[in-house]
Amino acid sequence: MRILLLLCCFSFSLSAQETPMKTVSTIFNAMRAGDTTGLRAYFHPGATLNSVVTKPDGVTEVGAGDINRWFKGMQGADAGAWDEQLHYGEVRVDGHLATVWAPYVFNYKEKLHHCGVNAFQLVKDGGEGQWRVLHIADTRRDAPGDCIPVSEDSPEAAIRSLATGWHKAAADADSTAFFDAMTDDAIYIGTDKSEHWTKAEFLGFAAPYFARGKAWAFTASERHVFYDPNSQVAYWDELLDTWMGPCRGTAVVKRDGPDGHWKIAHYTLSVTVPNEKIEGFIELTKE
């Protein structure tokens, strides 16, 4: 098992190091295994560490870490004792320079210890073209309620759950769940040409319907989710069964908050008109 683990985690082939995120993942796999064998090849010789901590009085302290000390701590830990999990990793690349923004939760001996954000800077200059860590800066929080466990759902599954739950909230006249699923600056575009609403405007329009316990019931018969793992904006389109007949909906969603929950930033609802009936539709609306 030990040999297999080393082969899995510390292969130096170019194919295993073709992305900055794979380097980051390899480091975390090594941390969980408590084994630093070959790990230095994933760090630039001049790599540095810093932690940014904001004290209760509002004072910010920047602490300088030491790579060697960090390695020794990892070597002294039992396998599985250090388990740092990422909510997600947002990657930006320009040539041979990359940045990975990664909110994390750190578990020590299976108990949540602290959380924050890792900001990795990497350079592609390894002996076989692999990405290596040039600098790590992190934040750390450990106050009660600060840290939320990493979801086991895939981003696609989480987005689908958001979409289904959002429509269900409208059907159940649950205004809190419905509007909490939207970002503060969300835009909703309805079927009427005048309906370009901010979240507050849409709430004002919808409030009477929710108040009497009957809003609207839209059910998706078809949905497509589009997600780029390096970006934290995604979208879906869907075909809906509604009281107006078949409608199309398109949503733009983005991660919101340190735990990376998806929220709706933009939604467009449109009525579908069969091509063979479009002339009659134009005549009906006089437009």
Side-chain angles (χ1 to χ4, degrees), residues 103-246:
Y104 72 90
V105 172
F106 184 84
N107 298 295
Y108 181 66
K109 294 185 177 180
E110 300 183 351
K111 291 185 179 181
L112 195 152
H113 188 269
H114 66 273
C115 61
V117 171
N118 290 314
F120 292 86
Q121 283 194 323
L122 303 96
V123 59
K124 191 175 184 180
D125 73 337
E128 296 192 31
Q130 75 265 25
W131 287 94
R132 300 197 295 177
V133 173
L134 186 63
H135 180 66
I136 305 174
D138 66 26
T139 60
R140 302 185 184 188
R141 301 185 300 275
D142 59 5
D146 276 350
C147 303
I148 299 175
V150 174
S151 172
E152 295 182 359
D153 289 341
S154 69
E156 290 85 352
I159 292 168
R160 289 184 182 278
S161 178
L162 168 67
T164 300
W166 190 55
H167 289 310
K168 185 177 185 303
D172 294 343
D174 185 344
S175 62
T176 299
F178 185 86
F179 287 99
D180 280 354
M182 303 171 69
T183 63
D184 291 340
D185 59 351
I187 295 294
Y188 186 95
I189 297 178
T191 55
D192 189 278
K193 67 180 181 181
S194 67
E195 294 177 333
H196 185 284
W197 286 316
T198 64
K199 181 177 179 178
E201 290 168 341
F202 188 37
L203 175 59
F205 163 80
Y209 297 95
F210 282 98
R212 60 175 177 250
K214 185 178 180 181
W216 51 88
F218 294 169
T219 303
S221 58
E222 176 186 308
R223 181 174 293 137
H224 307 279
V225 175
F226 304 88
Y227 167 71
D228 176 355
N230 291 331
S231 177
Q232 303 319 311
V233 175
Y235 61 98
W236 83 73
D237 64 58
E238 58 192 358
L239 182 63
L240 299 168
D241 294 328
T242 80
W243 65 270
M244 296 174 284

Side-chain angles (χ1 to χ4, degrees), residues 28-66:
F28 287 148
N29 288 338
M31 185 185 300
R32 293 186 191 97
D35 194 332
T36 61
T37 306
L39 193 58
R40 286 186 184 274
Y42 296 86
F43 288 82
H44 188 276
T48 54
L49 299 171
N50 285 103
S51 287
V52 178
V53 178
T54 302
K55 301 280 184 143
D57 60 4
V59 175
T60 298
E61 291 186 355
V62 179
D66 180 87

Side-chain angles (χ1 to χ4, degrees), residues 250-272:
T250 303
V252 178
V253 294
K254 64 181 182 180
R255 292 193 187 272
D256 188 76
D259 56 345
H261 281 177
W262 294 98
K263 286 195 174 185
I264 298 165
H266 189 104
Y267 192 85
T268 299
L269 179 68
S270 58
V271 176
T272 62

Side-chain angles (χ1 to χ4, degrees), residues 37-97:
T37 306
L39 193 58
R40 286 186 184 274
Y42 296 86
F43 288 82
H44 188 276
T48 54
L49 299 171
N50 285 103
S51 287
V52 178
V53 178
T54 302
K55 301 280 184 143
D57 60 4
V59 175
T60 298
E61 291 186 355
V62 179
D66 180 87
I67 291 286
N68 293 326
R69 183 178 177 185
W70 183 68
F71 270 62
K72 287 180 180 179
M74 193 186 307
Q75 291 167 344
D78 295 331
W82 289 15
D83 183 14
E84 188 159 343
Q85 302 175 4
L86 301 183
H87 285 291
Y88 61 89
E90 184 172 1
V91 182
R92 293 290 180 267
V93 178
D94 181 34
H96 284 196
L97 177 68

